[in-house]
Every structure is written in structure tokens, then in C-alpha cells.
Amino acid sequence: MQTVHLAVYDTLADWEYGYLAAGVNNPEFQRTPGEFRIETVGAAADPITTLGGVTITPDITLDDVDPAASAMLVLPGAQTWDSGNDEFIDAARRFLDAGTPVAAICGATVGLARGGLLDDRAHTSNAPQQLAATGYCGADRYLDVAAVTDREVITAGAVAPIEFAREVFARLGVYDDAVLDAWYRLYAHHDPAGFLALGQQ
């Protein structure tokens, strides 16, 4: 079984990881059912409170994670990314150095920019101005799209949790191509044909 590590911290944006976590942790429709699991990881073992007021106690801490043994590090947004979460920026660098993908959405892309991890990769975020404020050197690689995958880094804006999940599913190989297409048609485009296609799997 492969473990996808979902970072958790105070003011975590609840809506940004929901589709991703459900798809990774739910064996239904997966190419290899039960191949993946979600494990929450915190900077410390203390419970965190999400932006929606939900309390989450991390399964493990960053000190317990071996990046080389992980399938991916997922960094959702939070109100703390403009100047905080340095432990997770350092973790993202360790994961990438180990060849393990990192997926960041919303404010987490600001953290990657602050850490210099978007300087040489195509990427996106909530707006180019938000990343420019970090002083990073990758502005010419910014793409005005919902989600981007470049090598081992996935980025997305806050209003693109479905596209974010799709990129993660594709990178991990959670679903085969037909299922991923049906899933995206259903959730992104509200296309009932996507529901019917999934029902035939």
C-alpha cells in the first residue's frame, strides 16, 4: 500500500483537499483498489483546527515521515502560508530531493514560491500577484490555468480543488484514463454521462 501524506495545520482550507482525499482513500473505481491511503501529517502531534472549525489530530509528524517511502506530499492552503509553515516548505524540498511528488494548492503555492521551488517549474496559484509578492524568480513560468503539473510539482488555485484532485489522480495513477475522464466530467462539468460511465465500471 502506498501512503499519500496530507499536511494539516491551523486554518487548513477544508474544501481544497476533500475531492483528493476521498478519491485516494476510497477504493471504488480505482485501478488497483486499496493501493493508496491518506495519512495526515503535522509539524507536531497537537490537534489542529481547520478554517471550518473541524479538529484534526495528525496521524504522524514530519519527523516520522521518510520522503522516499511516501507516494506524495499534499499541501492544502491555509491562512498561515504568507509567512509561516516553514517546516512544510523544508519538507517539500526534502520530498522533491527524494524524487517524491509534491502537490500544493492556494496558499501552499506561496510557500513553495518562498522556498524557491517554483523558480524553474511551470506553475499556477490564486493570482500571479500573490506569488510575485514573495520575490521569487519564477514569474515568467506562471500559467493562468486551474492546475499545472511540471515534473514532480502540482499546483492549483483555491477555486480549483477538482482540477487539483484530477492532477493528483493522474500523477499517482489512481484511476485508469476512462474512469478519470468520467470522474472529471461528473464533478467538474456536472455531466450525468460521467455518473453513468462510473456506474458501468
Side-chain angles (χ1 to χ4, degrees):
M1 180 176 286
Q2 300 188 59
T3 302
V4 175
H5 288 99
L6 173 65
V8 295
Y9 20 71
D10 284 327
T11 72
L12 182 71
D14 306 72
W15 68 93
E16 293 178 353
Y17 63 88
Y19 290 99
L20 184 159
V24 168
N25 237 16
N26 183 352
E28 188 175 23
F29 309 125
Q30 291 185 358
R31 187 193 309 263
T32 305
E35 181 180 2
F36 297 96
R37 66 170 182 155
I38 291 283
E39 194 168 59
T40 55
V41 57
D46 303 322
I48 64 94
T49 303
T50 73
L51 199 58
V54 177
T55 300
I56 298 174
T57 301
D59 295 318
I60 58 173
T61 69
L62 284 173
D63 290 339
D64 300 321
V65 178
D66 175 5
S70 175
M72 179 178 286
L73 175 64
V74 176
L75 301 171
Q79 293 178 335
T80 51
W81 274 109
D82 283 345
S83 58
N85 292 343
D86 289 348
E87 308 97 324
F88 288 97
I89 298 172
D90 292 341
R93 185 175 291 105
R94 291 196 303 274
F95 272 69
L96 293 173
D97 287 346
T100 303
V102 172
I105 184 171
C106 187
T109 64
V110 176
L112 296 190
R114 283 200 294 120
L117 299 175
L118 301 182
D119 287 350
D120 62 349
R121 292 179 171 91
H123 59 276
T124 192
S125 183
N126 299 324
Q129 296 86 347
Q130 186 176 24
L131 297 188
T134 69
Y136 84 129
C137 300
D140 60 336
R141 296 179 179 269
Y142 186 93
L143 301 176
D144 189 16
V145 295
V148 175
T149 298
D150 187 351
R151 287 170 285 157
E152 302 303 320
V153 174
I154 297 169
T155 52
V159 296
I162 294 172
E163 289 78 7
F164 184 56
R166 180 183 61 176
E167 295 298 309
V168 168
F169 298 156
R171 179 63 184 78
L172 292 174
V174 175
Y175 303 123
D176 66 30
D177 291 344
V179 171
L180 183 58
D181 177 68
W183 180 92
Y184 187 69
R185 281 188 287 141
L186 174 61
Y187 288 102
H189 300 298
H190 314 288
D191 181 354
F195 177 80
L196 295 174
L198 287 176
Q200 293 169 0
Q201 300 301 316

